Amino acid sequence: MNTGPRIVTLTPQHFAAAAKLQRDCYPTLDPAELMGVAQFDSQHKVFPEGQFIALAHDGQTAIGMASGFFCDFDFNAPHHTFRGFCDHLYFRNHNPRGAWYYGADICVHPNYRGQGVGRLLYQARQDLVIRHGKRGIVAGGLIPGFADHKHRMTAAQYVDAVARGELHDPTLSFQLRNGFVVHGVIEDYLEDAASDGWASLIAWEPPENEADTQRV
């Protein structure tokens, strides 16, 4: 019987498929920004509970993924680079006592977008945060739609317009619908031709009652 996609934690059998997902999902990223088998192996060893793979109804085909680690984050000094903050994508700086889950990457194969896969991956992250009593999720988010507007506005203006609902961004608009809040923009976050290296700084915090009941 066919079932919908399901989310599992990353295991070695998924490493090669996850690396292919990176290439399929991020055609405008510099190859140095993509995660490969060596990085997934390290992420799995460092913090297996925080790495997720979405499988199609056949239970075998990898159609999405989400990765991240626990850390402390200073919103008063938010500037950072993707590779630098993620220890060159190896996550060896994972801090089990960190207050935040850093959402390093989340992606869905183009053929499976619009089917609820991204929402399931975000839910897995949110459940992890609540289960561990963390403050929430923080991330630098790609803004692929900026490519069509960068000739007439800055990245900050674009992100503000998306947050107000005046413009639609394929990534940021989806994140906002899933409870994230914009905290600004990050310059030179990563090598991406579409966004000229800009990213949104976003965060999600669990509802007070859920956080309070789980936090120890």
Side-chain angles (χ1 to χ4, degrees):
M1 182 180 68
N2 289 345
T3 60
R6 64 189 182 95
I7 309 301
V8 300
T9 51
L10 181 77
T11 63
Q13 72 186 45
H14 302 127
F15 293 168
K20 185 177 186 305
L21 269 175
Q22 291 275 291
R23 298 191 296 273
D24 291 340
C25 292
Y26 297 120
T28 65
L29 281 187
D30 186 286
E33 306 285 1
L34 300 177
M35 300 174 185
V37 170
Q39 285 91 355
F40 290 123
D41 178 61
S42 176
Q43 294 167 17
H44 170 66
K45 289 175 179 175
V46 168
F47 185 33
E49 190 182 1
Q51 322 310 322
F52 304 98
I53 287 285
L55 300 177
H57 63 80
D58 61 6
Q60 301 294 325
T61 306
I63 59 175
M65 57 161 288
S67 62
F69 54 96
F70 290 152
C71 68
D72 288 314
F73 190 85
D74 184 358
F75 285 90
N76 292 317
H79 185 269
H80 63 285
T81 64
F82 176 59
R83 287 178 59 80
F85 201 84
C86 296
D87 181 36
H88 300 280
L89 315 182
Y90 288 93
F91 298 1
R92 290 165 299 199
N93 54 337
H94 164 65
N95 176 9
R97 297 182 179 179
W100 295 88
Y101 175 89
Y102 188 84
D105 179 56
I106 186 166
C107 63
V108 177
H109 191 279
N111 293 344
Y112 292 88
R113 291 172 184 167
Q115 301 179 28
V117 180
R119 180 71 197 99
L120 290 174
L121 287 166
Y122 274 119
Q123 187 63 59
R125 283 176 160 181
Q126 291 164 353
D127 290 345
L128 175 74
V129 163
I130 292 170
R131 189 163 62 247
H132 284 269
K134 302 302 183 182
R135 284 194 57 186
I137 303 169
V138 61
L142 292 177
I143 45 174
F146 181 51
D148 296 329
H149 299 273
K150 60 187 179 182
H151 62 285
R152 62 184 181 88
M153 61 175 59
T154 66
Q157 290 170 333
Y158 173 78
V159 167
D160 285 343
V162 174
R164 292 194 301 267
E166 298 170 2
L167 293 175
H168 177 271
D169 182 86
T171 298
L172 180 55
S173 295
F174 179 75
Q175 292 164 334
L176 294 171
R177 291 197 302 271
N178 280 273
F180 282 84
V181 174
V182 171
H183 286 260
V185 293
I186 310 170
E187 187 176 9
D188 297 325
Y189 180 66
L190 79 179
E191 293 293 327
D192 176 42
S195 63
D196 290 344
W198 288 91
S200 62
L201 176 62
I202 57 172
W204 172 87
E205 296 184 63
E208 283 296 326
N209 58 339
E210 294 185 62
D212 291 343
T213 57
Q214 296 293 324
R215 190 170 289 126
V216 294

